[in-house]
Amino acid sequence: MLGADEVAAAVGTDPATGLTSDEAARRLAADGPNELRSKPPVPLWRKIVSQFQDPLIYLLLVAIVISLGAWIAEGATGAPVDAIVITAVVLLNAVLGFVQENKAEDAVAALQSMTAASSTVLRHGELRSVPSSQLVRGDVLVLSEGDAVGADARLLSATQLRIAEASLTGESEAVTKDPAPLPGPAPLGDRRNMVFKGTAVAQGVGRAVITSTGMDTEMGSIAEMLDATEEDPSPLQREIAGVSKLLGITVVAIAVVVMVVTALVNQVSSVSDLVTVLLLGVSLAVAAVPEGLPAILSVVLAIGVQKMARRNAVVKKLHSVETLGSASVIASDKTGTLTRNEMTIERVLTASGEVDLTGVGYRPDGEALVDGQPLAGSRHADGPLATEVRLALAGGALANNAQLTERDGEWEIQGDPTEAAFLVAARKLPPAHAETERFERRAEVPFTSERKMMSALEEKTSDGNLVLMVKGAPDVLLDRCTRVQVGDDVVPLDEERRTRALADVEELSEQAFRTLGVAYRPSEEMAALTGSGAGTGPGSDGDGAAGGDGAAGGAGSGAPLLDESAERDLVYVGVVGIIDPPRAEAAAAVAEAHRAGVRVMMITGDHPTTAARIAADLGIVEPGARAVSGTDLDRLDAAGLREVTRESSVYARVAPEHKLRIVDALQADGHVVAMTGDGVNDAPALKSADIGVAMGITGTEVTKEASKMILGDDNFATIVAAVRQGRVIFDNIKKFLRYLLSSNMGEVFTVFFGVVLAGVIGLAGASGEAVVVPLLATQILWINLVTDSGPALAMGVDPEIDDVMARRPRKLTDRIIDRHMWTGILSIGLVMAAATLLTIDIFLPGGLVDGDDSLEVARTAGFTTLVIAQLFNAFNSRSETSSAFHRLFVNKWLWGAVALAFVLQIAIVEVPFLQTAFGTASMDLAHWAVSFAMASVVLWFDELRKLVWRARHRGEVA
């Protein structure tokens, strides 16, 4: 409300010369850099400690203590192998997690360094370019087209200054600025005499004195909102915590039961026998806990991060990769995310009809179509419609201060995107573009928000004729028109024609187009007004359209005077429909998301009609669907908002607090929400969402800080690709969980039932040992080392076996290990144990099947059967419902891991010093054949189980 000079005096600066360098340095030291507050860096020791703060790690640490206690009780002879191996796994997991999270942080830091901005300021009366972080209160900012506004500032002067504030307010149309004092307090979007940090200059020039820097800016106030927004753990983190708790209880129960049963069955009385039982309990604990799970989980997620990086996405936290795969809603901003952020003229309506223009964006590829057929070469090519469209596009390109240039094969604009749309459209109609080359700007009456129009006086270079070209809001323009262009003729604009022209405007508006009208004043009339040479009007010789590709406005030496009085008795040419077109790849991505059962929502600050039209074009909603406005949301309580979010997928004219409420309502309804955005106004919702996705090119610093993933290409399709990758990763996590748990259950059941049924299968009395067990502790440890590591890790990188986008997202209430999966795990474990114990029985004297081998040979055969059965189980576990033979050879890493494990098992059985270490004995070919055949029962049993399941659920999505 204060005048510009009063504001400058209040901050202690001279608008003519700016601050001195010394004073700027003093203020920088006093106020700090012009940066948003970020969280302090996490110390190295905290990063390392955080790698051990996981329930599974706690279980493994307990296992280490138990193992060391047993080793000490036994006399501390030799090396504590169990404790050493588990410790190595824990350390390996910590190193993997630490390295990968640091790599992600480095990638984010590199991306942020690419977006560092600079600003032009006035110091000592001279223009200087300084890093935006060094701007201080009282600096005089010098703004020009294309500049990023480095701090909040009060305008001192402005010439045709328009600011793109979409990153702050969500409004995609540039805002006209005026240094005049405001009559009273105004909301952020209506503070016309202020410019704000994080916005950009779309057009014009200006100077402004900085009033706020850093966290005191409007961007900083939004950043403050983030501090009150709590982050929730990812679905995977919650599920793994639950599995870890379950495993902890299971481990204790199983170990205690087995030790008690073993002691009772074998009538243990000596200390040595008690230590043996304790070792058996520890071995079972190691078998029951998949100690490779944390390391494998980190590796799988890290590989997911690397794959996302190759797809132009930087994932800041490993668990965020999986979270995207669980997303049931993607709530996206519109401008620049679902749309190209490139205004495009798609339709031109004139007195003789309408023309559609193909092509989108700033690349001038496309053509004019009439009824779906090219205008050129049609019956309209030399008719009235072609003439009118040529004049409309040429006139809009004439009354224009934007620039369109090609650089390295890419088309770029400077200036207002709406004006640039005329330059692109004129190039799509060669006659229109040719006319723009024949004129030069002599004077202009600039656009203002009050006038809602702009005029340019153009001179034909060949004969000096002057033509006034005007563009602006159609209703305002029509009020100044008395005639209308019909082909080469100019006829009176009677009431019927005026009504039709207004109807054309209404038709475009209903289709969510922004509309601009084009008119002109003939050269002979302009000659009379300006005293220049006379000529003919454009209707007869085509000289009524002019201008180069956005030549700079303003009069040259000796230019005729021009003011608003010339903007009367105009000839109306037509109206154009302009829209920020959807990204072509976004439509396909939305369709793919819908196929996957993922709901796509648009949340924008743009006009409801525009939002609904774009959403319909992308397939987010059906045509005719209504957008819910921020005003509508204000009237809703929490319950009402949840009801609306269940039905509506398009939200327009929303404020940052509305986005937060929408995200919270969706999460309260059980959804996993992914929020995409690029502007500062998106940041609080990005942090509150299960996963926030920021744009790397157009995204602001505060948005990237709040997000969990940053897109390097700002491509919505990359989001859906990340959803697919997240689902593949989650499937792979389930694969190795299924494999590890079913295999480990096989070990547990083998030992438990081997002790309980020792007399039945011939184990009891097979040797002089006081405690006879089907597997030795070292053998159990070997099985875990060989089969739980390589094959499980290989399944973690398994390619997509089934179409993961053909199923609905998993619900938050769905367990990683559900009832169906537990049934498979337990049944496979029982079959594995039965095959192992029956193999031992086959070769031992007595039991169900009478054999004649020693306990060492029989135990070795059972041990080998269990190892091979677990290798077969690796192929079973690749899918819960599909055959193990489906895409059998696509994972070369799995085949390599299985082959290596089998070779190592042969070595354990046949190499003498390994026989001593692991209590094995050599086997002949017949023993190997029996072990192999018995192990294969696991494969055939699971194939039958899957076949029955598929038959019962035929037609359902897996």
Side-chain angles (χ1 to χ4, degrees):
M1 291 176 283
L2 297 176
D5 291 338
E6 294 175 283
V7 174
V11 296
T13 192
D14 183 350
T17 60
L19 298 175
T20 65
S21 296
D22 291 341
E23 178 61 17
R26 187 191 68 78
R27 295 189 182 194
L28 182 63
D31 298 338
N34 176 37
E35 296 174 341
L36 299 180
R37 182 175 63 241
S38 59
K39 294 180 181 178
V42 179
L44 178 62
W45 68 270
R46 282 181 179 266
K47 290 183 178 180
I48 294 174
V49 169
S50 68
Q51 304 303 321
F52 298 93
Q53 295 175 337
D54 183 277
L56 274 178
I57 299 298
Y58 299 154
L59 289 178
L60 294 179
L61 293 176
V62 171
I64 291 172
V65 173
I66 295 175
S67 181
L68 284 173
W71 175 68
I72 292 172
E74 196 178 26
T77 58
V81 178
D82 291 10
I84 291 173
V85 170
I86 299 172
T87 301
V89 170
V90 171
L91 294 176
L92 176 61
N93 171 72
V95 170
L96 283 169
F98 178 80
V99 170
Q100 291 299 331
E101 291 199 7
N102 270 279
K103 283 184 177 180
E105 289 176 5
D106 291 343
V108 173
L111 188 60
Q112 288 176 340
S113 67
M114 293 170 58
T115 61
S118 61
S119 298
T120 302
V121 296
L122 191 65
R123 288 184 181 170
H124 286 296
E126 298 177 351
L127 296 181
R128 296 185 183 180
S129 179
V130 300
S132 294
S133 61
Q134 296 181 16
L135 294 175
V136 298
R137 192 169 55 90
D139 260 330
V140 176
L141 272 179
V142 180
L143 304 171
S144 59
E145 289 184 7
D147 286 350
V149 180
D152 288 5
R154 169 65 159 84
L155 282 173
L156 299 171
S157 63
T159 303
Q160 301 181 38
L161 183 64
R162 304 184 71 201
I163 304 293
E165 296 183 343
S167 64
L168 191 64
T169 65
E171 173 57 57
S172 59
E173 189 169 4
V175 178
T176 301
K177 294 294 182 177
D178 187 339
L182 298 176
L188 182 64
D190 294 332
R191 297 175 195 169
R192 303 294 171 147
N193 58 2
M194 292 288 295
V195 292
F196 302 102
K197 179 179 174 67
T199 60
V201 181
Q203 180 184 19
V205 296
R207 293 192 178 192
V209 59
I210 294 178
T211 56
S212 303
T213 62
M215 292 300 294
D216 294 330
T217 61
E218 291 294 335
M219 178 185 284
S221 66
I222 294 180
E224 291 277 9
M225 295 171 61
L226 299 181
D227 295 336
T229 308
E230 296 182 1
E231 292 188 68
D232 295 324
S234 74
L236 179 61
Q237 289 172 313
R238 291 192 291 265
E239 290 290 331
I240 290 297
V243 171
S244 300
K245 182 178 179 180
L246 176 63
L247 285 176
I249 296 172
T250 304
V251 165
V252 173
I254 289 176
V256 170
V257 169
V258 169
M259 286 190 291
V260 170
V261 170
T262 303
L264 293 176
V265 170
N266 291 277
Q267 299 180 351
V268 173
S269 58
S270 67
V271 174
S272 175
D273 290 343
L274 285 174
V275 170
T276 301
V277 172
L278 183 60
L279 269 178
L280 180 64
V282 171
S283 300
L284 277 180
V286 173
V289 178
E291 63 270 16
L293 177 57
I296 294 170
L297 186 60
S298 293
V299 170
V300 170
L301 292 175
I303 291 173
V305 168
Q306 295 167 357
K307 287 185 177 180
M308 289 294 96
R310 290 195 290 269
R311 291 294 305 267
N312 293 312
V314 177
V315 178
K316 297 166 65 176
K317 293 292 182 181
L318 296 181
H319 288 274
S320 298
V321 180
E322 180 276 334
T323 310
L324 261 176
S326 302
S328 56
V329 174
I330 300 177
S332 175
D333 191 20
K334 178 185 72 69
T335 305
T337 307
L338 290 167
T339 64
R340 299 172 61 93
N341 199 19
E342 297 178 349
M343 302 303 287
T344 303
I345 294 177
E346 290 189 352
R347 297 183 68 189
V348 184
L349 276 66
T350 67
S352 298
E354 64 181 72
V355 166
D356 296 317
L357 294 178
T358 62
V360 294
Y362 297 140
R363 177 173 292 277
D365 294 337
E367 59 181 341
L369 302 178
V370 180
D371 297 328
Q373 301 299 317
L375 175 62
S378 71
R379 61 185 179 85
H380 299 284
D382 298 319
L385 180 60
T387 300
E388 295 158 12
V389 172
R390 170 173 56 83
L391 292 179
L393 296 182
L398 199 175
N400 201 306
N401 288 323
Q403 292 184 356
L404 176 67
T405 57
E406 183 181 16
R407 182 176 303 169
D408 299 327
E410 295 295 326
W411 289 86
E412 302 174 350
I413 70 156
Q414 287 186 331
D416 186 90
T418 302
E419 291 197 324
F422 273 103
L423 304 181
V424 176
R427 284 181 174 267
K428 295 177 182 178
L429 192 69
H433 178 61
E435 290 212 5
T436 65
E437 299 289 320
R438 300 162 59 188
F439 289 80
E440 291 183 354
R441 176 75 55 84
R442 296 297 306 278
E444 73 173 78
V445 182
F447 175 92
T448 67
S449 57
E450 293 78 19
R451 288 169 17 83
K452 295 184 179 180
M453 58 189 300
M454 168 194 180
S455 298
L457 186 63
E458 300 289 332
E459 179 182 20
K460 186 177 180 183
T461 55
S462 60
D463 56 20
N465 287 341
L466 295 175
V467 178
L468 183 71
M469 298 305 303
V470 189
K471 76 174 190 305
D475 55 340
V476 174
L477 204 61
L478 281 165
D479 285 342
R480 302 189 180 220
C481 293
T482 58
R483 295 160 289 177
V484 62
Q485 190 81 30
V486 180
D488 291 326
D489 301 323
V490 175
V491 302
L493 183 61
D494 56 25
E495 193 59 33
E496 181 181 350
R497 292 186 181 276
R498 185 181 299 273
T499 300
R500 179 183 170 186
L502 289 172
D504 288 343
V505 174
E506 182 66 22
E507 176 186 344
L508 291 176
S509 297
E510 289 176 353
Q511 297 172 13
F513 285 106
R514 289 199 175 107
T515 56
L516 275 179
V518 179
Y520 73 92
R521 194 164 185 188
S523 56
E524 64 272 12
E525 297 178 17
M526 294 311 301
L529 282 174
T530 61
S532 301
T536 57
S540 58
D541 61 10
D543 291 345
D549 270 4
S557 177
L561 297 176
L562 184 68
D563 57 29
E564 295 183 38
S565 64
E567 297 171 334
R568 58 182 176 80
D569 296 327
L570 301 178
V571 178
Y572 182 73
V573 179
V575 61
V576 299
I578 309 173
I579 199 165
D580 180 11
R583 290 176 178 264
E585 62 272 22
V590 168
E592 181 73 350
H594 286 170
R595 188 174 73 88
V598 179
R599 181 181 173 193
V600 178
M601 299 176 67
M602 177 191 291
I603 306 177
T604 178
D606 213 336
H607 193 278
T609 304
T610 303
R613 155 72 189 278
I614 295 297
D617 287 349
L618 288 170
I620 295 175
V621 294
E622 294 295 326
R626 175 181 172 271
V628 178
S629 69
T631 304
D632 296 331
L633 296 177
D634 287 333
R635 294 193 290 263
L636 300 174
D637 58 14
L641 181 59
R642 287 179 62 180
E643 187 64 32
V644 168
T645 56
R646 291 173 188 149
E647 302 295 332
S648 301
S649 295
V650 185
Y651 300 84
R653 290 290 193 232
V654 295
E657 56 270 23
H658 293 140
K659 295 188 176 186
L660 272 173
R661 289 187 64 203
I662 292 171
V663 170
D664 290 343
L666 290 168
Q667 290 173 325
D669 236 5
H671 289 289
V672 177
V673 182
M675 171 72 188
T676 72
D678 56 358
V680 177
N681 58 318
D682 296 324
L686 258 63
K687 186 174 181 181
S688 181
D690 294 282
I691 179 164
V693 184
M695 302 298 114
I697 298 175
T698 59
T700 57
E701 180 183 341
V702 68
T703 309
K704 294 171 187 174
E705 181 72 20
S707 68
K708 295 183 178 69
M709 189 171 87
I710 302 173
L711 297 184
D713 59 357
D714 288 12
N715 194 336
F716 184 83
T718 305
I719 304 292
V720 179
V723 170
R724 175 183 287 276
Q725 183 62 35
R727 290 190 177 193
V728 171
I729 289 172
F730 186 77
D731 269 14
N732 289 347
I733 290 172
K734 291 194 69 171
K735 289 174 188 178
F736 66 69
L737 274 174
R738 187 183 303 116
Y739 169 69
L740 290 173
L741 294 178
S742 59
S743 295
N744 290 352
M745 286 298 101
E747 299 166 34
V748 171
F749 289 148
T750 296
V751 174
F752 179 78
F753 289 112
V755 171
V756 173
L757 302 176
V760 178
I761 62 176
L763 264 178
S767 72
E769 301 173 5
V771 179
V772 180
V773 291
L775 296 174
L776 302 177
T778 53
Q779 292 173 347
I780 294 174
L781 179 63
W782 172 256
I783 293 173
N784 279 270
L785 283 173
V786 174
T787 63
D788 282 13
S789 54
L793 182 58
M795 273 186 285
V797 296
D798 206 31
E800 183 177 346
I801 301 302
D802 302 310
D803 184 2
V804 297
M805 299 298 274
R807 67 177 73 130
R808 299 191 64 81
R810 54 184 292 268
K811 299 178 181 178
L812 284 175
T813 53
D814 293 344
R815 309 294 300 178
I816 289 180
I817 309 174
D818 56 18
R819 180 180 300 178
H820 178 65
M821 186 171 169
W822 270 121
T823 300
I825 288 171
L826 295 176
S827 61
I828 290 294
L830 287 170
V831 171
M832 203 176 288
T836 301
L837 295 177
L838 186 56
T839 302
I840 294 174
D841 186 20
I842 288 173
F843 294 114
L844 274 179
L848 299 175
V849 180
D850 194 22
D852 55 6
D853 286 297
S854 66
L855 174 61
E856 288 74 18
V857 172
R859 182 184 280 151
T860 300
F863 169 45
T864 301
T865 299
L866 186 55
V867 169
I868 298 175
Q870 292 196 9
L871 298 181
F872 275 122
N873 190 37
F875 295 99
N876 287 343
S877 301
R878 294 175 66 230
S879 174
E880 201 164 15
T881 56
S882 296
S883 169
F885 298 97
H886 176 59
R887 304 195 70 193
L888 181 60
F889 299 103
V890 297
N891 191 342
K892 61 181 181 180
W893 297 107
L894 180 58
W895 279 98
V898 167
L900 177 62
F902 186 71
V903 170
L904 291 175
Q905 180 63 21
I906 294 175
I908 287 293
V909 172
E910 304 297 340
V911 176
F913 78 90
L914 292 176
Q915 290 175 342
T916 303
F918 290 92
T920 59
S922 295
M923 297 193 305
D924 58 23
L925 189 60
H927 287 75
W928 279 100
V930 171
S931 295
F932 192 89
M934 292 299 293
S936 70
V937 172
V938 172
L939 173 66
W940 306 122
F941 168 80
D942 205 43
E943 283 295 291
L944 180 62
R945 183 182 68 86
K946 292 177 182 178
L947 183 64
V948 171
W949 189 94
R950 290 196 300 270
R952 289 179 176 178
H953 298 81
R954 193 179 305 278
E956 295 183 13
V957 178

